[in-house]
Amino acid sequence: MKSCKGIENPAFVSSSPDTPRRVCASSPSIDISVLPTPAAGSPPPPAPQEPLEPPQLSGVPGASELESLSEYEEGPCGWGSFQPRALQRCNTPGGFLFHYCLLALTQGIVVNGLVNISISTIEKRYELQSSLTGLISSSYDIAFCLLSLFVSFIGERGHKPRWLAFASFMLGLGALVFSLPKFFSGKYQFGSLYEDTCLTAKNKGSCSTSSSPLFYYLYVFILGQLFLGTGGTPLYTLGTAFIDDSVPIHKSSLYIGIGYAVSILGPAVGYVLGGQLLTLYIDVDLKHSIDITEDDPRWLGAWWIGFLISWLLAWSLIIPFSCFPKHLPGTAKIQEGKVSQTHQSASLQATDGNFGQSFKDFPAALKNLMRNTVFMCLVLSTCSEALITTGFATFLPKFIENQFGLSSSSAATLAGTVLIPGAALGQILGGVLVSKFKMTCKNIMKFALLTSVISLVLTFVFAYANCENEPFAGVSESYNGTGELGNLTAPCNAHCNCLRSYYYPVCGGNGVQYFSPCYAGCTQSVSKIHPKVYYNCSCIEGEIHITPTPSSVSLEAQAGKCSSQCKNLPPFLGVFFAAIVFTFMAGTPITVSILRCVNQRQRSLALGIQCTLLRLLGTIPGPIIFGSTIDSTCILWDINECGNKGACWIYNNVRMAYMLVAISVICKIITVFFNGLAVFLYKPPPSVTDVAFQNQNAVLTAVSLECDLNKAGNDG
């Protein structure tokens, strides 16, 4: 056989992903023609048959693969003829990964950090209802779902680094647009202070149904989120596929895991940055001319500064991404050394080298991927995981706050301390283990199945974490034997004209919690002491009417919730941290499995389908399902002056814990089922050795048949 270098026996070609394959342009079959000259008068010999071609198998090198290898347009780093030598140091997978991580970090800071922490401030400043701010949050996912499939299909054959330069531009533009209402809405007018004590002549609320002119800034926020969604689309589809192109198969999981881990750190940085900026007054130039502090409920922080910082950071990445070549140096050699692990049933019309060049191929490509059962099982498993992870990311602070009696800020800090490091550690561990042991596609799916089973078992920690509600006047405890349960108003506070829309809990000296100082019947307070203390409270048993002084140590109530007697918080946080680690440990392996089980030409589109379904079935309905479930455990609602029901103030803790266990277990079972089904259905392509023997058999059959024909001609 004619070979690239000497004579090779293809039966001994290693199938290891570390050993590069030689791909030759020569035909795998041998055409030997030894045809004698026919004797006079004898019939002409039969026409020589075409040499038998070996069966074409998915993932085996052939003419189409040779064409695909020629598509890898490697080049130096630069712009046109301007290619500085210093830039070539960045023209490596590590250099690209560094800039990819910066972009993923910026996206996480803005979308999952700054937007979330600024929502409550935006609600107050622009007088928006929570349902409308929910629309702002979901606008990102709407843009992502609409564009993901098209961008991933078109960008697969395109210049992926330039697509990421476009993503940087759109993310920066979205952050800039999101901050614009601050500069066009004028100065913030904070109004008069609400009096929280029991005063008969004040606190009369008014019912107003007219909309504020500030309402129209809602559309600016939505536009900013749409731009952010447009920028986020290429990041996790084309960017991930480019990384997979540029590194050997056993290093792909490590690189992708690092990129995903950094993206998870983005929200943490966003929360820290946003939290610090909210300590600055919203109009920073007026900070020294106002007389309110952060403890005042009228205070609004400078939410907009973080978006301007993110705008500059995102746009600073446009130039680096635009200088990368279409493929990094060495990509063709790396692709030549990869052994296909495509699921056998994933037959593809894409054996034609021109498949995917035209948009009219999009329906056929989409149909082909949807018929890949292993791919669809992996996608559905990630959807169920996304549903519970986004649900907990949204509502874990609320769960900790209500179960263990912590303040909102303390609960949010603890939740972030568990979620962010646990998720990042899980992503990195998953990528490192898959890379270290050089797992095949099937073993990667088995690893993801194992981690999913472990996280399912750990999910039952919520059943152990439930804590009974602390005594609450008017809800679970009467007002010294007066009043009715379920009614905050009692004879001791009926004269105070308290507003039920103003929730400011205080803990009485009797260990009972009250909805506000007004509902506790307190008429005096001392604000110089922290936390604020209240005196002369008519609803607290055994009250002593005194004239308070800052040095007084005798008090009847203090601001804040009563301390919880539940001691389950430390073990809950420890076990839940382990559950988060094992949950996210499957994230990178499943992404790598998706890249392996589909055809090489369809990886970006496969990731686009995954991201689209992930949002449609996971991240969008997740918070809605969790929110509805948690609201079903509410025992005290906010009722405003117009009689409309608002937020929930008090939940049934035990019921909330068991409801969350139910949701988590159901989703985890779905995850385990689809991961297990993917392992069961997956059929790897024949090994290179098997293919080589089949090629040899086809060659020998062709030679033998040709010799028989020659012999028959001679005998004739």
Side-chain angles (χ1 to χ4, degrees):
M1 284 186 293
K2 192 174 183 179
S3 178
C4 296
K5 185 177 180 181
I7 295 180
E8 281 184 332
N9 183 351
F12 295 97
V13 177
S14 172
S15 62
S16 170
D18 298 327
T19 306
R21 293 179 308 190
R22 291 188 177 93
V23 181
C24 307
S26 57
S27 172
S29 64
I30 299 178
D31 182 10
I32 300 177
S33 298
V34 187
L35 299 179
T37 304
S42 62
Q49 295 186 4
E50 294 293 328
L52 298 180
E53 294 187 3
Q56 292 295 324
L57 296 171
S58 175
V60 180
S64 64
E65 188 163 335
L66 288 171
E67 293 174 5
S68 67
L69 288 176
S70 66
E71 294 175 0
Y72 295 100
E73 302 173 11
E74 302 173 2
C77 192
W79 303 270
S81 59
F82 181 69
Q83 300 166 358
R85 181 174 298 179
L87 287 181
Q88 309 316 311
R89 297 181 180 179
C90 298
N91 200 23
T92 62
F96 179 84
L97 178 65
F98 174 76
H99 292 93
Y100 175 87
C101 289
L102 287 179
L103 183 59
L105 182 70
T106 304
Q107 185 266 353
I109 289 174
V110 180
V111 176
N112 300 315
L114 294 175
V115 171
N116 291 341
I117 202 171
S118 303
I119 282 294
S120 60
T121 303
I122 290 173
E123 278 185 12
K124 298 174 183 177
R125 175 65 183 93
Y126 298 98
E127 302 175 18
L128 301 175
Q129 298 177 2
S130 296
S131 58
L132 296 177
T133 54
L135 178 60
I136 294 175
S137 299
S138 61
S139 298
Y140 175 89
D141 290 319
I142 292 173
F144 199 106
C145 290
L146 291 175
L147 297 174
S148 181
L149 295 179
F150 303 106
V151 169
S152 58
F153 179 79
I154 298 171
E156 173 60 37
R157 294 296 188 95
H159 197 298
K160 295 185 180 71
R162 289 179 185 169
W163 273 99
L164 292 184
F166 169 75
S168 302
F169 173 79
M170 294 305 297
L171 285 172
L173 180 62
L176 176 62
V177 170
F178 203 92
S179 67
L180 289 181
K182 161 66 182 72
F183 303 101
F184 294 96
S185 56
K187 302 295 184 182
Y188 169 55
Q189 305 295 326
F190 49 78
S192 59
L193 179 64
Y194 172 82
E195 183 60 56
D196 57 4
T197 53
C198 176
L199 297 173
T200 57
K202 294 186 178 181
N203 296 340
K204 291 289 185 180
S206 60
C207 177
S208 175
T209 58
S210 59
S211 60
S212 167
L214 296 173
F215 167 82
Y216 296 101
Y217 287 105
L218 168 71
Y219 302 109
V220 181
F221 291 121
I222 292 177
L223 180 62
Q225 279 284 70
L226 292 176
F227 285 149
L228 290 170
T230 303
T233 303
L235 181 61
Y236 297 108
T237 54
L238 303 179
T240 304
F242 186 84
I243 291 174
D244 189 55
D245 276 339
S246 306
V247 296
I249 193 169
H250 63 280
K251 291 185 178 180
S252 177
S253 59
L254 177 61
Y255 278 65
I256 293 174
I258 292 173
Y260 282 7
V262 172
S263 70
I264 291 173
L265 294 177
V269 177
Y271 270 93
V272 173
L273 175 63
Q276 293 300 313
L277 292 174
L278 289 180
T279 62
L280 301 175
Y281 185 63
I282 186 171
D283 298 313
V284 290
D285 55 327
L286 300 179
K287 181 178 180 180
H288 300 291
S289 60
I290 58 173
D291 58 354
I292 62 173
T293 63
E294 295 178 50
D295 297 328
D296 195 302
R298 297 169 295 171
W299 173 276
L300 294 183
W303 60 270
W304 50 276
I305 297 179
F307 290 94
L308 295 181
I309 296 174
S310 301
W311 160 51
L312 297 175
L313 181 59
W315 278 13
S316 69
L317 295 172
I318 296 176
I319 294 178
F321 277 119
S322 65
C323 78
F324 280 103
K326 185 174 182 180
H327 295 285
L328 297 179
T331 299
K333 185 177 180 181
I334 289 172
Q335 292 301 316
E336 182 182 351
K338 289 184 177 180
V339 176
S340 174
Q341 302 180 55
T342 306
H343 178 50
Q344 274 198 51
S345 66
S347 59
L348 179 65
Q349 298 94 325
T351 51
D352 177 11
N354 294 322
F355 184 84
Q357 297 281 11
S358 172
F359 192 73
K360 64 184 180 182
D361 295 327
F362 177 74
L366 192 62
K367 180 181 178 181
N368 180 77
L369 282 173
M370 301 294 281
R371 293 173 62 183
N372 186 333
T373 52
V374 174
F375 165 69
M376 291 306 300
C377 286
L378 293 174
V379 169
L380 292 176
S381 73
T382 59
C383 290
S384 61
E385 285 290 79
L387 190 147
I388 55 177
T389 52
T390 55
F392 278 123
T394 305
F395 293 104
L396 183 63
K398 182 185 287 287
F399 176 84
I400 294 176
E401 176 185 351
N402 286 274
Q403 291 288 335
F404 304 106
L406 301 179
S407 65
S408 298
S409 59
S410 299
T413 301
L414 283 177
T417 304
V418 172
L419 285 171
I420 303 300
L425 179 62
Q427 290 280 15
I428 294 177
L429 281 178
V432 167
L433 291 175
V434 170
S435 177
K436 180 177 179 59
F437 294 103
K438 300 181 180 179
M439 299 182 188
T440 62
C441 184
K442 189 156 192 171
N443 287 337
I444 292 174
M445 289 189 283
K446 289 179 179 178
F447 175 76
L449 175 62
L450 175 63
T451 58
S452 299
V453 171
I454 296 175
S455 63
L456 168 61
V457 175
L458 294 175
T459 300
F460 286 95
V461 68
F462 284 95
Y464 171 77
N466 69 84
C467 301
E468 295 286 345
N469 291 77
E470 299 298 324
F472 197 109
V475 178
S476 60
E477 193 87 4
S478 65
Y479 287 91
N480 303 328
T482 62
E484 301 177 356
L485 294 182
N487 188 357
L488 296 178
T489 303
C492 62
N493 59 27
H495 61 287
C496 295
N497 296 312
C498 302
L499 294 180
R500 186 166 169 175
S501 58
Y502 183 78
Y503 179 54
Y504 188 75
V506 295
C507 182
N510 55 358
V512 177
Q513 187 171 308
Y514 296 85
F515 189 85
S516 68
C518 183
Y519 277 104
C522 302
T523 58
Q524 294 178 296
S525 65
V526 176
S527 58
K528 294 182 180 180
I529 302 176
H530 188 78
K532 191 176 181 179
V533 295
Y534 297 87
Y535 299 86
N536 297 334
C537 305
S538 57
C539 294
I540 299 179
E541 187 175 10
E543 71 275 6
I544 303 173
H545 293 279
I546 60 174
T547 301
T549 64
S551 60
S552 298
V553 294
S554 176
L555 59 91
E556 296 182 33
Q558 67 178 9
K561 298 178 180 179
C562 294
S563 300
S564 174
Q565 302 302 313
C566 185
K567 306 300 181 183
N568 296 337
L569 180 59
F572 166 75
L573 292 178
V575 177
F576 189 72
F577 178 82
I580 291 295
V581 171
F582 280 101
T583 296
F584 280 86
M585 199 181 290
T588 300
I590 288 182
T591 300
V592 174
S593 299
I594 289 174
L595 293 171
R596 298 288 168 265
C597 76
V598 301
N599 190 276
Q600 174 80 5
R601 299 178 184 276
Q602 291 197 296
R603 291 167 310 145
S604 295
L605 181 58
L607 293 176
I609 293 175
Q610 181 204 19
C611 291
T612 299
L613 293 179
L614 197 74
R615 279 159 174 77
L616 291 177
L617 303 179
T619 59
I620 293 177
I624 297 174
I625 293 174
F626 267 72
S628 300
T629 302
I630 291 176
D631 280 347
S632 69
T633 67
C634 183
I635 54 180
L636 181 64
W637 290 94
D638 169 29
I639 307 295
N640 65 13
E641 294 81 4
C642 301
N644 298 324
K645 186 165 68 173
C648 179
W649 297 129
I650 307 295
Y651 297 91
N652 184 319
N653 288 349
V654 175
R655 188 180 177 192
M656 178 194 291
Y658 284 116
M659 292 291 280
L660 291 183
V661 168
I663 295 178
S664 302
V665 169
I666 290 173
C667 290
K668 288 290 185 182
I669 290 176
I670 294 174
T671 298
V672 170
F673 171 76
F674 281 114
N675 281 342
L677 189 60
V679 173
F680 177 76
L681 294 175
Y682 175 71
K683 295 180 181 179
S687 65
V688 174
T689 302
D690 295 338
V691 173
F693 276 121
Q694 291 181 31
N695 290 349
Q696 278 192 317
N697 291 336
V699 170
L700 295 176
T701 302
V703 173
S704 176
L705 179 58
E706 189 117 10
C707 291
D708 291 342
L709 292 173
N710 293 340
K711 184 178 179 182
N714 291 334
D715 293 343

